[in-house]
């Protein structure tokens, strides 16, 4: 289960999510002993290939040992670029919760979940980003600068349209198709920026400090996701702001997603008096129509519109301009031995890797391993919102998890550093499956303890503990797969090889989540109460039931059907396929080495 919404066992998601926030697998350092038993006689694949990231044409490092303080400006720049990258991820992760509060169908939620796929499919265009560039401008800046400019402009444009897409401007249902297309482009651009920044990190920092790149990635994306998701959902909520941040209640949150301020607040006024609310006139009528708020409050709202997308779009444009003008790339660095010659060579290499029997087996297994978690990861958070939990409270539950998410990989890596990292994956799997049933019980329990003022404190404690246990099992499996991918990746082509394995691993979390969301509505059984010979099997039938004076009552929630099926499937996979999956780590290094013509 995941309190917020994003796709991360799948996207980068960072933070797990209802539609699932699970960490994205990134390339990491290879274990020092991964290939000690099969090094070629000439030494290829040894330290010279796995460690020497930065070399001059003469083979010597271009500088001596340097402390991190000598490159603090580069480290801070990388951190900030990753923060910017996390903003689109967080904003996209907040949309499903906002849609759920508008009572959209789970079929629509499934369609919107396609937004989170670009980070799991970026390997398809990553070779283009690596091979096509303007040498005079810089290999990474050739993609980073235009991508971030487009992102900034797109965010500013989206700030003028998103209210209409969400249905706030005219009181209609959200336009899920338009939202999905807009945020898919949004995430595609963010994924492209991620490719460029990841590549730049390897040459921006010296060999001694390149390890800080992964820290900037993890902490920066987490901070950006927090700003774009958790902080936004909290400050967008009028209830949260009035309860915790204001002395005097106001009818809206501190920030809005777009320029359409007051439209949601005044939608009921437009219905009652349409002639009084044309061309934004409701803005000036609010002091009379809502006398409990002072004129000063409304004047402040008119002067200081809180436009979240517009603000961050402007930040993107300003910072990108500064990077383009002031930051120079290191032009003395030559490609390392693991880099391929160009686009064609890279795609041929990917095809060669994917044909290897061991890789094929791994891909088939990992693409089905996470089916058992899909209902809990993808649907639980949305169901909690549907049952009455405020979306901002659900998002804020991720805050106390941040220290845990930082500490867990450090602890778990002690058990995955050996020759059999998949043992941790196998041992954690049944506990995560059982937590899926616990999530279903929690959703069932939620409406039974709700009261007019909200939920009791012990309910939030139970949810928080459940989320913490979920994170422990999730990270155990995540770190285990990361360690295995690093262990088996051929050092000569480590970047391409490991990126491929991680992409397949992420895709194995994305597609079950989309299918789980899509199946909730078809598996749900509803009856028309109050009207005989009428059902609610289709939207048209449900509308007819209401017109005839009846109401649709859920007799079987598809979420519970999915939860049981997923757990049964998951334990079947664990019992029958799990032992074979573990045996992959016993394959010799030759089974994973890619044979290609140089």
């Amino acid at each position: 289960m995941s309190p917020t919404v994003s796709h991360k066992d799948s996207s980068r998601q960072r933070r797990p999510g209802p539609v699932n926030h699970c960490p994205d697998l990134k390339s990491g350092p290879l274990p020092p002993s991964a290939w000690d038993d099969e090094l070629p006689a000439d030494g290829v694949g040894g330290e010279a290939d796995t460690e020497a990231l930065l070399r001059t044409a003469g083979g010597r490092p271009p500088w001596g040992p340097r402390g991190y303080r000598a490159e603090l400006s580069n480290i801070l720049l990388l951190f900030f670029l990753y923060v910017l990258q996390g903003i689109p991820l967080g904003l996209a992760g907040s949309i499903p919760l906002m849609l759920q509060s508008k009572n959209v169908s789970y079929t629509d939620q499934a369609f919107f979940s396609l937004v989170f796929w670009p980070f799991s499919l970026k390997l398809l265009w990553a070779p283009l980003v690596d091979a096509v560039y303007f040498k005079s401008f810089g290999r990474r800046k050739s993609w980073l600068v235009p991508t971030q400019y487009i992102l900034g402009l797109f965010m500013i444009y989206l700030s003028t349209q998103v209210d209409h897409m969400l249905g706030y401007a005219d009181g209609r249902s959200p336009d899920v198709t338009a939202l999905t297309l807009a945020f898919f482009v949004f995430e595609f651009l963010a994924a492209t920026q991620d490719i460029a920044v990841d590549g730049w990190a390897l040459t921006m920092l010296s060999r001694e400090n390149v390890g800080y790149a992964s820290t900037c990635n993890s902490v920066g994306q987490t901070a950006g996701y927090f700003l774009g998701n958790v902080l936004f959902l909290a400050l967008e909520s009028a209830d949260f702001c009035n309860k915790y941040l204001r002395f005097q209640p106001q009818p809206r949150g501190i920030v809005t997603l777009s320029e359409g301020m007051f439209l949601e607040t005044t939608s009921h006024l437009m219905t009652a008096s349409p002639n009084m609310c044309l061309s934004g006139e409701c803005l000036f009528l609010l002091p009379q129509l809502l006398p409990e708020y002072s004129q000063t409050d409304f004047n402040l709202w008119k002067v200081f519109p809180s436009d979240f997308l517009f603000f961050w779009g402007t930040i993107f444009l300003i910072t990108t301009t500064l990077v383009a003008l002031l930051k120079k790339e290191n032009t003395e660095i030559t490609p390392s031995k693991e880099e391929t010659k160009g686009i064609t060579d890279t795609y041929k290499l990917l095809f060669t890797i994917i044909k290897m029997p061991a890789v094929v087996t791994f891909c088939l297994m990992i693409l089905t391993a996470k089916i058992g978690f899909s209902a809990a990861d993808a649907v639980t958070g949305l169901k909690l919102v549907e049952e009455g939990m405020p979306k901002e409270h659900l998002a804020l539950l991720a805050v106390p998890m941040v220290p845990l998410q930082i500490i867990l990989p450090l602890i778990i890596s002690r058990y995955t550093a050996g020759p059999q990292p998949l043992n941790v994956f196998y041992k954690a799997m049944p506990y995560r499956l059982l937590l899926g049933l616990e999530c279903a019980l929690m959703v069932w329990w939620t409406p039974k303890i709700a009261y007019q003022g909200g939920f009791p404190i012990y309910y939030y404690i139970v949810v928080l503990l459940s989320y913490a246990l979920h994170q422990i099992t999730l990270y155990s499996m995540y770190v285990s797969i990361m360690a295995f991918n690093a262990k088996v990746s051929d050092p000569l082509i480590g970047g391409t090889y490991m990126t491929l394995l991680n992409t397949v691993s992420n895709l194995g979390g994305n597609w079950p989540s989309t299918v789980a969301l899509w199946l909730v509505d078809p598996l749900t059984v509803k009856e028309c109460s109050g009207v005989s010979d009428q059902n609610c099997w289709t939207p048209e039938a449900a509308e007819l039931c209401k017109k005839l004076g009846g109401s649709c009552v859920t007799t079987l929630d598809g979420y519970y059907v999915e939860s049981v099926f997923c757990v049964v499937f998951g334990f079947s996979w664990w019992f029958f396929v799990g032992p074979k999956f573990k045996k992959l780590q016993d394959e010799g290094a030759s089974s994973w080495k890619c044979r290609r013509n140089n």
Side-chain angles (χ1 to χ4, degrees), residues 552-598:
C552 291
V553 178
T554 300
T555 57
L556 179 63
D557 195 324
Y559 166 68
Y560 299 114
V561 177
E562 280 191 4
S563 296
V564 173
F565 170 80
C566 286
V567 172
V568 171
F569 180 91
F571 273 107
S572 299
W573 191 98
W574 180 73
F575 186 79
F576 293 106
V577 183
K580 298 178 182 178
F581 189 61
K582 283 203 305 178
K583 286 184 179 180
L584 288 175
Q585 62 195 354
D586 298 326
E587 296 274 355
S590 59
S591 299
W592 302 96
K593 276 193 173 181
C594 180
R595 289 167 174 76
R596 57 174 181 152
N597 296 324
N598 293 322

Side-chain angles (χ1 to χ4, degrees), residues 418-483:
Q420 296 184 317
L422 292 182
N423 288 354
V424 176
F425 181 99
Y426 185 76
K427 292 177 181 178
M429 187 171 183
Y431 295 101
R432 188 173 173 186
L433 290 169
L434 290 175
L435 283 172
L437 288 180
E438 189 269 344
C439 288
L441 288 174
M442 188 164 56
V443 171
W444 171 83
W445 180 50
T446 297
K448 300 184 182 303
I449 63 169
Y451 57 88
Q452 188 172 7
F455 294 89
I457 186 65
Y458 66 82
Y459 169 78
Y460 288 105
I461 294 175
V462 171
V463 175
L464 189 62
L465 290 176
S466 299
Y467 184 34
L469 292 174
H470 174 266
Q471 291 294 287
I472 293 173
T473 58
L474 184 153
Y475 271 85
S476 296
M477 300 178 71
Y478 158 65
V479 175
S480 175
I481 289 294
M482 173 72 89

Side-chain angles (χ1 to χ4, degrees), residues 6-140:
S6 111
H7 278 273
K8 255 274 121 58
D9 204 17
S10 338
S11 154
R12 178 211 113 35
Q13 233 258 316
R14 267 243 70 103
R15 265 55 290 166
V19 213
N20 78 70
H21 284 197
C22 306
D24 184 20
L25 301 177
K26 295 262 185 188
S27 300
L30 294 172
S33 60
W35 294 89
D36 288 350
D37 57 340
E38 286 202 25
L39 291 178
D42 60 359
V44 176
E47 183 180 3
D49 290 292
T50 58
E51 287 190 24
L53 297 174
L54 306 179
R55 299 284 182 180
T56 62
R60 297 185 307 275
W63 44 66
R66 305 176 67 183
Y68 76 91
R69 286 187 174 86
E71 297 185 283
L72 185 59
S73 61
N74 287 339
I75 293 174
L76 292 177
L77 174 60
L78 276 179
F79 171 77
F80 187 71
L81 290 175
Y82 282 120
V83 169
L84 292 180
Q85 186 184 119
I87 299 295
L89 293 171
L91 285 173
S94 69
I95 297 298
L97 290 177
M98 300 178 74
L99 291 176
Q100 194 68 7
S101 65
K102 301 280 288 184
N103 298 316
V104 303
S105 68
Y106 283 93
T107 303
D108 287 336
Q109 291 279 17
F111 185 64
F112 185 81
S113 71
L114 296 175
V115 162
F116 303 101
W117 284 52
F119 266 84
S120 293
L121 300 175
K122 62 186 179 182
L123 181 65
L124 297 178
W125 67 92
L128 293 172
V129 178
D130 275 337
V132 179
Y133 57 93
F134 296 103
K135 187 175 181 180
S136 59
F137 189 55
R139 183 178 187 181
R140 305 305 175 184

Side-chain angles (χ1 to χ4, degrees), residues 283-341:
L283 176 64
F284 304 99
L285 292 171
L286 277 175
Q288 290 76 38
L289 296 171
L290 299 175
E292 63 269 28
Y293 304 107
S294 69
Q295 179 66 49
T296 303
D297 293 330
F298 293 105
N299 289 337
L300 287 174
W301 295 346
K302 288 185 286 185
V303 177
F304 300 108
S306 301
D307 188 349
F308 198 82
L309 278 169
F310 186 87
F311 170 79
W312 283 108
T314 304
I315 295 296
F316 265 81
L317 295 180
I318 294 173
T319 56
T320 303
T321 301
L322 293 176
V323 170
L325 296 177
L326 303 179
K327 182 61 182 175
K328 305 296 182 183
E329 288 194 44
N330 191 338
T331 58
E332 297 179 359
I333 303 302
T334 59
S336 66
K337 290 184 180 180
E338 79 166 1
E339 293 191 52
T340 53
K341 301 298 183 181

